[in-house]
Amino acid sequence: MGRRTEQTPEPPAPPAPLMGVSAQPLPPAPQGREGVQPRVCGHCPGPVRNDSMVAQFCASRSGTESEGRCCRERGARPERLLGLDLSNCSLQSLPLDLAEATTAIVLDLTENPLGPLPDDSFEGFTHLQSLAVPLALECPGGSGAWEQVTTRGSSRLCQDQRNPCNNSGDLAWPCPENAACSPDGPGLIQCLCKSPFHSYKCLREGNFPVLLFCGILGGATLSLSLLLWGTQRRKAKTF
């Protein structure tokens, strides 16, 4: 289980109540300009493999189309990536551009010589409901982060991601008193400060002193710049 507390210079807006991962609407994926294929879709050669669960998902869902190794929603602007097939790609680690697939519902990583994955490998993958990994790997977040974990041949299938904010027991992870829990991927949460609280562990109340903060920062920067300028001038005069 991982947890991170968001701290920003400006007070964040109060988060909307989250009842479960499956009930959340899909946000637009960060695919960039219209008509540009995400890099992760071309990370492996060829189209979606016919025996991949991504191909089965895409075929069973209307209004979808395949492009490269991706299954995405047809007609959306920009198109939302719903499935990603990275099976049999000789991956030893997860590609850096995997972050482009945070809206994926289905992800296939089987038949790859993957090593142990960092705990935050799927940070932001709040919509992921079916994940297939090599049998040697555990489901991200542990088996408690999923409703069902099964094995089939040389793969492990992690299904129906749980909302750690709505569970007790092993998945329960309290946020500070003035913060709200928000899912952030399998076994991961983030604590969002409730308005009007902010700062470390959301302990400060009221609006963030933006003008004071900017004034102190600007004064310190100006003083440092003048000090460096004066030092350089003295060095120049000695030559």
Side-chain angles (χ1 to χ4, degrees), residues 15 17 26-27 64 98 111 131 139 154 158 179:
L26 288 172
T64 61
L98 185 65
E111 300 181 53
L131 171 65
C139 292
S154 60
C158 320

Side-chain angles (χ1 to χ4, degrees), residues 5-15 176-180 191-208:
T5 303
E6 296 290 328
Q7 301 176 33
T8 57
E10 297 183 1
E177 180 181 0
N178 301 317
C191 296
L192 304 176
C193 294
K194 299 177 181 177
S195 180
F197 296 94
H198 61 88
S199 191
Y200 177 68
K201 290 188 176 181
C202 309
L203 294 177
R204 294 184 179 274
E205 186 175 3
N207 293 329
F208 186 84

Side-chain angles (χ1 to χ4, degrees), residues 72-152:
R72 61 186 191 179
E73 189 175 45
R74 184 188 301 119
R77 294 293 183 266
E79 291 84 351
R80 288 180 288 193
L81 193 155
L82 304 179
L84 176 62
D85 175 21
L86 294 180
S87 62
N88 195 23
C89 289
S90 302
L91 297 177
Q92 297 183 359
S93 61
L94 296 179
L96 296 177
D97 47 19
L98 185 65
E100 296 179 324
T102 53
T103 56
I105 299 174
V106 180
L107 177 57
D108 193 340
L109 295 172
T110 57
E111 300 181 53
N112 286 300
L114 288 168
L117 302 177
D119 293 338
D120 60 352
S121 296
F122 298 95
E123 184 178 306
F125 282 73
T126 56
H127 304 288
L128 189 60
Q129 296 301 319
S130 295
L131 171 65
V133 297
L135 187 60
L137 299 182
E138 297 296 328
C139 292
S143 58
W146 305 85
E147 292 289 348
Q148 185 176 10
V149 177
T150 56
T151 59
R152 183 177 58 188

Side-chain angles (χ1 to χ4, degrees), residues 164-187:
C165 297
N166 289 349
N167 287 278
S168 58
D170 293 339
L171 281 179
W173 196 290
C175 285
E177 180 181 0
N178 301 317
C181 176
S182 176
D184 201 24

